[in-house]
Amino acid sequence: MALLSISQAARTAGVSRQTLHTYIKQGKLTTQQDNDGNPLLDTSDLLRVCGAFKIDSKILTPVLHALTPDLQADNGLLRAELTSARELLREKEQTIRAKDQTIEVQAQALRLLEHRTVEVVVDQDQPSWIVRLLLHKIW
């Protein structure tokens, strides 16, 4: 990550320089030396020990204004991509529903084909009891 001087680190973390020197003496923060021998703090160590950084609005505002057009363009592209992805998802869902319906129709047809009917064999010489009953009542 980036290296900051003690003063820059204090402003970034929202603590005093003395607090940072105390953390260094306690071993909570480690330093590196620049070419002139000045101590530098790694921002990842600073973030670990001090928590979220305090950002100066005087610095942040121009950066945000510079980034806003790019962010808006990216936002528009992402919205278009999301709309396209949603439409594609709807089409795929419709295709899946149609295939599910086709599978159900085919399964029903298969069940009908596999359905076994029981053949009733009527003995011509020996009429069934219902036939004898009907013949008896008629005569």
Side-chain angles (χ1 to χ4, degrees):
M1 295 206 83
L3 297 174
L4 302 173
S5 69
I6 299 289
S7 296
Q8 291 171 328
R11 282 192 302 272
T12 302
V15 296
S16 69
R17 289 180 2 181
Q18 184 58 42
T19 301
L20 293 180
H21 284 292
T22 303
Y23 289 160
I24 292 168
K25 287 178 186 172
Q26 291 174 347
K28 293 180 180 180
L29 289 172
T30 58
T31 61
Q32 299 178 20
Q33 303 293 321
D34 66 3
N35 293 337
D36 297 329
N38 298 318
L40 298 174
L41 295 172
D42 190 319
T43 53
S44 62
D45 275 349
L46 190 62
L47 184 61
R48 177 181 52 81
V49 173
C50 297
F53 295 152
K54 310 287 188 276
I55 298 177
D56 186 3
S57 63
K58 292 177 187 175
I59 297 170
L60 185 60
T61 302
V63 172
L64 287 177
H65 285 297
L67 291 176
T68 299
D70 291 338
L71 293 175
Q72 287 176 345
D74 288 347
N75 190 13
L77 291 173
L78 289 172
R79 286 182 185 274
E81 188 176 338
L82 178 61
T83 301
S84 175
R86 284 180 175 160
E87 182 60 33
L88 181 62
L89 178 62
R90 275 193 289 277
E91 290 173 7
K92 296 295 182 185
E93 287 173 341
Q94 288 174 349
T95 302
I96 290 171
R97 278 194 295 273
K99 287 183 178 182
D100 284 346
Q101 289 174 348
T102 301
I103 289 171
E104 182 58 36
V105 168
Q106 290 174 348
Q108 185 177 2
L110 184 62
R111 285 192 298 271
L112 288 172
L113 289 173
E114 290 178 343
H115 182 71
R116 295 195 176 118
T117 57
V118 178
E119 286 187 31
V120 177
V121 178
V122 177
D123 187 5
Q124 298 296 332
D125 296 333
Q126 181 72 28
S128 68
W129 66 271
I130 191 87
V131 172
R132 283 181 290 180
L133 179 66
L134 289 174
L135 286 174
H136 179 67
K137 296 223 180 206
I138 296 174
W139 296 99

